[in-house]
């Protein structure tokens, strides 16, 4: 490329340089003497000395090129240095990973062959170049902190899926995940690494040692006396587990942490480097030296304010410089070492980025004087270098390095033409530009300087030994108060520094969202929108594809910065257009979901698949939104079509690849600019199992093909989005229910929609994950508190114990100091008050969007499911993740927001327009969690009465054909605190165990935590339930029959499972009961208890459903209830029975299985039926209960500890055996309730004696042939078969065929046995 300067005439772009003498006299060119002085000042010799004017050659533009070539050739000793460097090294001069034969397992490798992602258990790969003599170094950029072994190996090392680098002889590795070194055996070594660190691997083959550095800090010699000699050469190598990723720097870029005496494996481009630095010096001279034409002399200029100002002399001089400089700026090493360093030096003077217009002038020069492909490549490499520098810079207390790189990024993006090119081709296509918005969390707080920033640590002591939050607020001591305040001051200092970085990141997004720069094509915002949508599609459609997914920790930071930038533009538009909405009232209008202007990929809609909705709701779309569906769109794409498209896409990719590779040139026939997994996407799939290299193309070509078929986003223009006269753009198809008022710019609505989608994709998951640090602080604080208490109680004579306790105290204190500083960082970057307000704003956006969508009627089905998910999850995050640092109650409009969300949950959990099982379950879980807390339950009670009644009616729908467990749980929570002995927070025998499982998904974890909340019954909702059961004569029987059916199933399953558990426990050989079986068993027990509580609730609120026999199903319901209650009592209360034995085993997983919860639930029902009702009701209930053949008075006596005489006699020797009795639970059962149980027992004792005295013996022939418990009392029509009324009534609920002959039963008559018989 340098040959372009060989001739005396050359052309470049729109100007022409010529040797014709008359051209030198053009207006603006200075006189020859001044020009000569100027050119000699600009183009100085290598030593910087200028010869005397009499001895120096006269320079003009005619001989400048020859002079410049001579200067560039001076002192160029690159040929000699190259010969020296080659000694001690074997292999290609360009060092990359060996993708042909030097790998094991499954790996994803970048197109530049420098980045790798593990795709199997423990894949290994080595480089193409080895060393056998001298001192060598290479760097590894750590992108994930998981299991990896990095180091050196020989050609003879053989790896597999279990053994990698360091596990075989003659291979040596450092593992920062486990903080160990490996060479067949392993020992402790080094420090733990984190994502964003750089590991330097050093080998000294003269001394026979291997060492490692972490972020430039030596970890010491890891191995000495390594094997050397003939045939021994060492390759850089790595083994890494699934999903782990790194990028190598063998010397293709400047080493971040060079070590004196050690050479990179790949030689730096020395000759080009010398040449580039000289040319940069000449460029600086041009900027520094000005020409005063009027005075006829040269002057010094202020470089910071330099401008070209159309001076032909300066322009032609620069053209000569750039003629040689431009080709060099296409090389990554030179861009990073020369250009980026120079640009950073301009900004080092401080001040705002705007106060350094020189960078804008230089970018103008690049676009003017460089070929288009050159400036494209240069900008691409510059941004990549900035991104790497930002990502892999160590954290220092003032975050100065990160601020430095962000400032230069802003300066580059401020240049309109550069910004548009980078947006269109680089930021989202080549780079993982979201990295610019990420602030990494320091794993090692000492190196990050947090000890100086937060010298005093503090942590809250708000938990008791059992892990429960302490209720009493202890008086804070003076010392604790001082520590807390000092800690808070340190946190504030940290917050101010992080806010500087966040402000710069928001500035970048403001530049990308600029919609006023319409010169030369589309404005930046519309380019960003298309790329942003593509970014969302990749993350939504490739949840399992590691090479495309954006890490969730990046997504969290990106979300917050994007919200800040969006609200800035939204409120700016509001200031200009008063009729528009402010960002506080923001929402996404419903027409975006069905007018096809915004693509939602394959994401599920509330009503199902989009293709299905277009078919079923096309008439509604035409009537309400004036949108006609093209019949061609309704044709489903067949799988054959997809396969054909995929094949054609693959062949097209293969045919295009060689030309793309040739366009770059050089030694590697591949696009070397493609970034590593740390910044972009892996492009090659390596597999030893396939014994061949697959086609190097982007994975999942099917998705690319589908995108081409359905995604028209890339073709959209400003008019398509914002609309023009007569064209509403994104707001096409406004339904009549939607107000006709401006909201904001349409493009901002699409950004808002993308933000909601981002939260759903991974942000919520990451918010929950980072709470783990806070949990660790609480656990260590409890351990420290417990240790300090033990120290205070330790006897003075036991010095050994005292010393061990002091050691433990020191360990816990050091760990807490570390964690409290790390927690401060996390609280500032993730859980600060400002971040909480962002999530709260997002919650309110979702609520308003759902409310507007709901008003559209059937078109609500088009709304994507993630809007409801984000509404539920963001509320869960605000409630669970941001406290106790920030309280949700302090947020503006909190009570109203809570009520509006309650109304959404109450209405939509049974909405027929929502068909997805998962989203319906999530709505049910969210409602179940909502009713567990007093403040959110009161919000449910404040929604309009009509909605409350509708919610309760939906909850009372029959349990069949739907997920009834959550419904039942909601009803139980509404009752808890009102039932018999049902005022406990946790079961009596579980008080000392630790609550919830933190590994559960957020909504399930909410329910788990909610289970331990104080009872907060709702009398208002109970009243609605009672009114519905009384007034709707069809609702009560169907609901109660379904409850009784499920109780019968749940308890029967439970009994069957504990039989299996007991049998396993009694076997002589050692057995382990499957933990899943234990969990299912406990779940069945819990379901049985909750179903019994719902029956207790029903009996208490509306006893007439069972006792008013004028209602058609009352007697049957009462008989079924009595039958089930007797069955439960008999199984649980029998002495030395199955239930007793399993409870006494105390198996892990069956902690909730105990006598108390199930017996008090049954007792509550019996007391309500037999004691707390009128005389007639008591008589009916007593008669039905005693008539059941399963009734045993002993079961009722068991409740109060009255065991059978035989049982007492058998148990007499075992004096330590304690019998169950409600009397022992006086903290949970009131004296009044116990008195009612005594009364019930006395009543049943008397009634059972009378019943026994008056009952006449019944012959077997007169008993029901189905149950043999009741006399025959019914005859069927037309077949005349007979049974008791209880059996036939229960049978007819589900089946109309006769028990015996299968004839259809048309009627049932009373049967009385004739007297003559």
């Amino acid at each position: 490329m340098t040959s372009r300067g060989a001739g005396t005439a050359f052309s470049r772009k729109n100007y022409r340089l010529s040797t014709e003498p008359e051209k030198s006299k053009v207006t603006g060119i200075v006189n020859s003497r001044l020009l000569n002085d100027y050119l000699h000042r600009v183009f100085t010799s290598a030593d910087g000395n200028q010869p005397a004017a009499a001895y120096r050659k006269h320079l003009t533009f005619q001989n400048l090129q020859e002079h410049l070539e001579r200067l560039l050739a001076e002192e160029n000793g690159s040929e000699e240095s190259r010969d020296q460097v080659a000694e001690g090294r074997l292999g290609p001069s360009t060092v990359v990973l060996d993708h042909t034969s030097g790998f094991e397992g499954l790996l994803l490798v970048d197109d530049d062959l420098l980045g790798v992602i593990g795709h199997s258990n423990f894949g290994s790969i080595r480089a193409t170049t080895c060393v056998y003599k001298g001192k060598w170094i290479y760097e590894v950029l750590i992108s994930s902190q998981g299991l990896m072994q990095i180091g050196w190996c020989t050609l003879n090392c053989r790896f597999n899926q279990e053994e990698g680098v360091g596990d075989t002889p003659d291979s040596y590795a450092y593992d920062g995940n486990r903080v160990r070194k490996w060479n067949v055996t392993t020992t402790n070594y080094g420090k733990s690494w984190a994502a964003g660190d750089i590991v330097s691997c050093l080998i000294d083959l003269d001394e026979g040692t291997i060492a490692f550095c972490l972020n430039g800090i030596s970890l010491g010699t890891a191995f000495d006396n390594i094997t050397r000699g003939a045939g021994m050469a060492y390759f850089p190598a790595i083994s890494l587990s699934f999903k782990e990723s790194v990028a190598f720097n063998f010397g293709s870029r400047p080493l971040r942490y060079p070590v004196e005496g050690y050479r990179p494996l790949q030689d730096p481009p020395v000759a080009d480097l010398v040449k580039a630095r000289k040319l940069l010096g000449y460029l600086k001279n041009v900027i520094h030296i000005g020409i005063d034409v009027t005075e006829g002399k040269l002057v010094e200029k202020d470089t910071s304010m330099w401008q070209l100002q159309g001076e032909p002399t300066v322009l032609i001089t620069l053209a000569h410089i750039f003629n040689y400089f431009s080709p060099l700026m296409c090389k990554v090493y030179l861009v990073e070492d020369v250009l980026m360093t120079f640009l950073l030096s301009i900004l080092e003077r401080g001040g705002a980025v705007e106060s350094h217009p020189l960078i804008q002038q230089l970018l103008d020069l690049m676009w003017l004087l460089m070929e288009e492909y050159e400036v494209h490549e240069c900008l691409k490499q510059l941004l990549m270098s900035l991104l790497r520098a930002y990502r892999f810079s160590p954290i220092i207390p003032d975050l100065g390095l990160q601020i430095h790189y962000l400032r230069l990024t802003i300066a580059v993006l401020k240049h309109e033409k550069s910004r548009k090119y980078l947006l269109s081709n680089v930021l989202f296509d080549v780079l993982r530009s979201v990295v610019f918005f990420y602030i990494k969390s320091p794993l090692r707080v000492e190196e990050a300087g947090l000890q100086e920033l937060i010298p005093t640590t503090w942590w809250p002591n708000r938990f008791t030994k059992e892990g429960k939050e302490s209720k009493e607020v202890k008086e804070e001591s003076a010392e604790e108060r001082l520590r807390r305040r000092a800690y808070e001051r340190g946190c504030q200092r940290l917050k101010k520094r992080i806010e500087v970085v966040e402000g710069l990141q928001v500035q970048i997004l403001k530049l990308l969202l600029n919609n006023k720069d319409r010169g030369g094509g589309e404005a930046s915002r519309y380019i960003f929108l298309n790329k942003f949508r593509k970014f969302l599609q990749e993350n939504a459609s490739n949840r399992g594809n590691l090479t495309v997914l954006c890490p969730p920790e990046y997504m969290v930071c990106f979300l917050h910065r994007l919200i800040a930038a969006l609200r800035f533009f939204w409120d700016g538009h509001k200031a200009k257009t008063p009729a528009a909405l402010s960002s506080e009232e923001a929402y996404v209008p419903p027409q975006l979901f069905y007018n096809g202007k915004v693509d939602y990929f394959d994401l599920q809609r509330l009503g199902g698949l989009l293709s299905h909705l277009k078919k079923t709701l096309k008439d509604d779309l035409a009537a309400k939104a004036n949108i006609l569906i093209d019949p061609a769109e309704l044709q489903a794409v067949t799988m054959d079509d997809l396969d054909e498209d995929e094949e054609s896409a693959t062949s097209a990719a293969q045919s295009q690849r060689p030309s793309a590779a040739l366009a770059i040139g050089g030694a590697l026939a591949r696009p070397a600019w493609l970034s590593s997994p740390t910044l972009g996407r892996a492009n090659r799939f390596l597999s030893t199992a396939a014994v061949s290299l697959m086609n190097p193309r982007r994975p999942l070509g099917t998705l690319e093909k589908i995108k081409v078929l359905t995604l028209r986003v890339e073709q959209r223009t400003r008019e398509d989005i914002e609309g023009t006269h007569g064209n509403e753009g994104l707001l096409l198809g406004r339904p009549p229910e939607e107000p006709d008022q401006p909201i904001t710019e349409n493009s901002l609505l699409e950004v808002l929609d993308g933000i909601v989608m981002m939260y759903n994709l991974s942000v919520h998951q990451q918010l929950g994950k980072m709470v783990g640090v806070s949990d660790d602080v609480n656990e260590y604080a409890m351990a420290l508190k417990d240790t300090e208490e033990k120290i205070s109680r330790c006897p003075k004579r036991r010095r050994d114990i005292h010393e061990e306790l002091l050691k433990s105290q020191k360990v816990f204190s050091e760990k807490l100091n570390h964690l409290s500083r790390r927690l401060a960082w996390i609280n500032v970057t993730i859980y600060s008050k400002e971040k909480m307000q962002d999530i709260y704003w997002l919650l309110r956006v979702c609520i308003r969007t759902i409310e507007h969508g709901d008003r559209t009627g059937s078109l609500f089905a088009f709304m994507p499911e993630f809007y409801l998910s984000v509404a539920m999850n963001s509320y869960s995050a605000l409630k669970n993740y941001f406290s106790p640092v920030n309280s949700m109650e302090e947020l503006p409009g909190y009570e109203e927001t809570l009520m509006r969300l309650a109304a959404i949950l109450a209405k939509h959990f049974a909405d027929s327009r929502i068909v997805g099982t998962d989203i319906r379950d999530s709505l049910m879980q969210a409602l179940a969690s909502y009713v567990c807390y007093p403040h959110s339950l009161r919000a449910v009670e404040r929604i309009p009465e009509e909605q409350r009644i509708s919610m309760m009616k939906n909850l009372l729908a029959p349990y069949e054909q739907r997920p009834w467990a959550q419904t039942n749980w909601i009803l139980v929570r509404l009752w808890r605190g009102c039932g018999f002995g049902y005022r406990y927070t946790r079961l009596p025998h579980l008080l000392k165990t630790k609550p919830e499982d933190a590994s559960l998904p957020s909504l399930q974890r909410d329910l788990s935590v909610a289970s331990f909340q104080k009872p907060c019954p709702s009398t208002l909702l109970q009243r609605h339930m009672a009114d519905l059961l009384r007034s709707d004569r069809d609702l009560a029987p169907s609901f109660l029959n379904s409850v009784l059916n499920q109780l019968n199933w749940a308890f029967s399953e439970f009994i069957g499972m504990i039989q299996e558990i007991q049998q396993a426990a009694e076997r002589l050989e050692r057995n382990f009961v499957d933990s899943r079986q234990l969990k299912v068993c406990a779940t069945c027990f819990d379901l049985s208890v909750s179903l019994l509580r719902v029956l207790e609730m029903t009996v208490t609120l509306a006893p007439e459903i069972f006792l008013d026999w004028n209602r058609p199903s009352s007697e049957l319901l009462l008989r079924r209830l009595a039958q089930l209650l007797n069955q439960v009592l008999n199984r649980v209360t029998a002495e030395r029975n199955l239930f007793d034995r399993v409870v006494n085993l105390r198996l892990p997983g069956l902690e909730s299985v105990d006598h108390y919860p199930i017996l008090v639930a049954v007792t509550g029902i019996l007391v309500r039926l037999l004691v707390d009702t009128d005389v007639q009701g008591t008589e009916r209930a007593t008669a039905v209960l005693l008539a059941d053949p399963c009734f045993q008075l002993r079961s009722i006596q068991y409740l109060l500890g009255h065991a059978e005489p035989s049982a007492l006699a058998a148990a007499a020797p075992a004096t330590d055996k304690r019998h169950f009795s409600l009397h022992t639970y006086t903290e949970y059962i009131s004296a009044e309730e116990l008195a009612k149980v005594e009364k019930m027992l006395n009543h049943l004792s008397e009634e059972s004696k009378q019943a026994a005295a008056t009952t006449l013996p019944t012959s077997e022939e007169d008993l029901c042939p189905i149950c043999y418990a009741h006399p025959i009392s019914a005859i069927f029509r037309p077949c005349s078969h007979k049974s008791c009324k209880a059996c036939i009534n229960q049978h007819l609920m589900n089946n109309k065929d006769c028990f015996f002959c299968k004839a259809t039963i048309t009627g049932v008559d009373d049967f009385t046995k004739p007297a003559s018989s």
Side-chain angles (χ1 to χ4, degrees), residues 268 282 428 531 581 693 707 729 846 849 863 884 1046 1058 1084 1230:
Y282 304 151
F428 286 91
K531 299 298 179 181
L581 298 179
L693 186 66
K707 177 181 66 182
C846 289
T849 302
M863 180 178 287
Q1046 300 300 348
I1058 63 173
C1084 287
S1230 66

Side-chain angles (χ1 to χ4, degrees), residues 1-13 15-20 23-24 29 35 38-40 42-43 59-72 275-276 278-284 286 308 311-328 365 368-370 374:
M1 299 179 90
T2 56
S3 62
R4 290 182 307 175
T8 55
F10 58 94
S11 63
R12 179 174 285 273
K13 291 213 165 180
Y15 58 87
R16 175 178 173 80
L17 302 180
S18 175
T19 58
E20 298 176 27
K23 295 294 181 183
S24 63
I29 300 292
L35 178 61
Y38 176 71
L39 292 178
H40 274 290
V42 169
F43 298 101
L59 286 180
T60 65
F61 286 132
Q62 281 74 25
N63 61 9
L64 176 59
Q65 190 164 335
E66 179 188 347
H67 177 69
L68 189 51
E69 287 179 353
R70 189 170 60 253
L71 287 176
L72 292 177
K275 195 181 293 185
K278 283 184 180 180
L279 289 164
L280 180 63
Y282 304 151
L283 178 60
K284 289 178 182 178
V286 172
L308 185 59
E311 299 175 11
T313 304
V314 177
L315 179 60
I316 296 172
T317 306
L318 287 169
H320 278 87
I321 295 172
F322 270 88
N323 190 51
Y324 296 93
F325 193 56
S326 300
L328 299 176
L365 278 178
L368 176 66
L369 300 176
M370 293 172 70
E374 291 173 339

Side-chain angles (χ1 to χ4, degrees), residues 181-333:
K181 60 181 180 180
W182 298 80
N183 175 234
V184 183
T185 60
T186 178
T187 54
N188 292 334
Y189 173 78
K191 297 179 181 179
S192 60
W193 60 38
D197 287 342
I198 295 179
V199 174
S200 304
C201 305
L202 297 84
I203 188 168
D204 183 345
L205 288 160
D206 300 331
E207 298 294 330
T209 61
I210 289 176
F212 298 92
C213 301
L214 188 62
N215 294 329
I217 300 172
S218 175
L219 302 177
T221 301
F223 306 99
D224 49 21
N225 296 321
I226 64 172
T227 308
R228 290 172 290 167
M232 295 301 296
Y234 289 90
F235 293 83
I238 184 173
S239 297
L240 65 175
S241 56
F242 186 61
K243 291 188 179 182
E244 305 305 332
S245 61
V246 299
F248 286 84
N249 182 11
F250 299 113
S252 59
R253 294 172 177 271
L255 294 179
R256 179 62 62 87
Y257 303 106
V259 178
E260 188 177 353
Y262 286 81
R263 294 179 292 184
L265 269 76
Q266 181 171 324
D267 298 329
V270 179
D272 287 343
L273 203 53
V274 171
K275 195 181 293 185
R277 286 172 179 164
K278 283 184 180 180
L279 289 164
L280 180 63
Y282 304 151
L283 178 60
K284 289 178 182 178
N285 290 340
V286 172
I287 294 168
H288 186 68
I289 301 166
I291 304 174
D292 189 338
V293 180
T294 57
E295 296 290 331
K297 63 178 182 180
L298 304 180
V299 294
E300 300 287 328
K301 294 185 70 174
D302 180 6
T303 57
S304 63
M305 304 305 292
W306 181 83
Q307 288 186 341
L308 185 59
Q309 296 177 334
E311 299 175 11
T313 304
V314 177
L315 179 60
I316 296 172
T317 306
L318 287 169
H320 278 87
I321 295 172
F322 270 88
N323 190 51
Y324 296 93
F325 193 56
S326 300
L328 299 176
M329 287 302 99
C330 294
K331 299 181 179 181
V332 56
Y333 196 103

